Amino acid sequence: MPLAEAVALHASERPHSPAFRMEGRVFTYGELAVGAKRILSAVQRSAAEATERSILSGPVRLVALETGNHPLFPAAFIAATAAGHCAALIDPHLPEIVRRRMKERLRPEIVIRAEGDLLRIDVSSAGQSRLLQGASDAPPPIPAGDGGEPFLVVFTSGTTGEPKAIIRNRRSWRVSLKTGQGFFGLGPETTTYAPGPLAHGLTLYALAETLTAGAEFVGARHFEADQALATIAATGAKRLVLVPTMLRRLCERAAGSPLTSVGQITVAGAKLTPADREAARRAFPEAQVTEYYGASELGFISVSQATDRHTPTAVGKAFPGVRLEIRDERGERLPAGETGTIFVESELISDGYIAGGDGAGFRREGKLATVGDLGFLDEDGTLHLIGRAGGMVVSGGNNIFPSEVETAIQGAGGVNAAFVFGLDHPDLGSELAAVIEPGDGFDHAALERHLAADLPRYKRPRRIWLCRKMPMTASGKVAAGELRQWIATENSALERLV
């Protein structure tokens, strides 16, 4: 069932049931439906004023949501994806220059952003900007769009340093929501706590599946472990949707005070260790922990539950409705046990990139699609993930391409070369590190200021070394293996900065 129709149904049957809660503000299904109608009415009026069209073809209007985790986000998201509109999610915590480039490439007719407790609607092509407040007279119903229409644009890191825009049609999400509701056992009683950013896939999807099921979604402006535990206890949350770093923080702070209301914990973004699972068992003794491996471009790929094997590389078996295949460089299918590129066949696959993909990552081969990740399948169908596409580092649940960070470092000035990579970290999964060959005029403070302006915090290296002369391969590339060995042996050729 489309999200707009599901919310309208729940509003008619249970108007006073809580739908969305964030830091003291609670919206019932009735209030959520009215709020979405009010915003939709304002969006439709604003769209009529636009004098330029977005990058999307056809009659679809593109609405950029730049609100972040705001109490009015659910209503705005429903309005921005209803009536044939398409929402583009832009994280307001990204550097301003990055957000500006994203909007320049997409050219949305409308931008909705937060202004205190309210929302502001901008129509830049018409020079219009208005604060959204007060109720519309007799707001119209919320029509659901056609299944083949584009309805959502999300961003993922690109190998060139520019976020890549991924577009989805309604049908892929409707199939996913229907399948997931049965697989995860979601119902009106499944109060869900998901404190991550709503502009990112994990938390956004948790919101959509929770509202579709008629349950209450509990979010947070920012994640803080003690406050999160208090919120879980106060709301009686039955399901948590988290990245591993969040789960670790909760388990540390919950020591000695287990929470028994939680029956499900869904984790994605990086693998859990055996120690993580044991800590979760102590902190949330009634909870079943489910991990899934997926990609913004492909949707769900595989899922791992308590009864599955939890080796360092195993990421579970194919999600319902998904078929997995491993292929070699020639495109030939590989047998069980042999490593190659992971391909997926399912109805959950996106329509690909828009606004200038960088030529890497997602590609199709007939009905199959891949993002270039490497792995192999066991005889029993268990998928093992060996390497992320393009050497991507997953730190704290965030996907980071080292080449993007290297480009940012080298753009600071006074840098001859930079090598960025991940080091194993017991909490984050991987810790981003950098080795820099300084040139004339290198200034550490200036570098830090440059990175703070150019990159979000999670993409800035946590450990930095200077190397007066980088080891190079015969082909002129940085000798990555030798540098890693120097770090492990604390070689005097390296000077620790951070």
Side-chain angles (χ1 to χ4, degrees), residues 437-455:
E437 181 177 304
D440 294 336
F442 176 78
D443 185 313
H444 182 211
L447 173 66
E448 291 295 334
R449 290 194 297 271
H450 173 79
L451 295 182
D454 206 44
L455 295 173

Side-chain angles (χ1 to χ4, degrees), residues 131 204 271 292 452 454 488:
L131 201 61
L204 175 70
K271 273 188 63 61
Y292 74 79
D454 206 44

Side-chain angles (χ1 to χ4, degrees), residues 4 20 57 64 71 75 91 95 133 163 176 182 186 207-208 246 248 255 277 297 330 359 385-386 397 407 413:
F20 182 82
S57 60
D91 188 343
Q133 54 186 339
S176 182
L186 304 181
L207 171 69
M246 291 178 178
R248 292 176 191 126
R277 288 183 169 272
E297 297 93 330
R330 300 184 304 275
L385 182 63
I386 301 300
T407 299

Side-chain angles (χ1 to χ4, degrees), residues 268-279:
K271 273 188 63 61
L272 295 176
T273 66
D276 294 334
R277 288 183 169 272
E278 176 58 27

Side-chain angles (χ1 to χ4, degrees), residues 93-144:
H93 295 100
L94 290 170
E96 193 276 334
I97 189 172
V98 175
R99 288 182 280 122
R100 185 170 68 246
R101 287 198 297 261
M102 293 161 80
K103 287 180 282 189
E104 286 172 350
R105 282 154 52 204
L106 294 180
R107 307 191 306 275
E109 282 92 350
I110 300 165
V111 176
I112 301 178
R113 53 189 173 88
E115 188 165 313
D117 290 335
L118 301 175
L119 299 177
R120 178 170 290 277
I121 296 183
D122 297 329
V123 188
S124 59
S125 65
Q128 298 292 326
S129 179
R130 61 177 61 90
L131 201 61
L132 183 60
Q133 54 186 339
S136 301
D137 295 330
I142 307 175

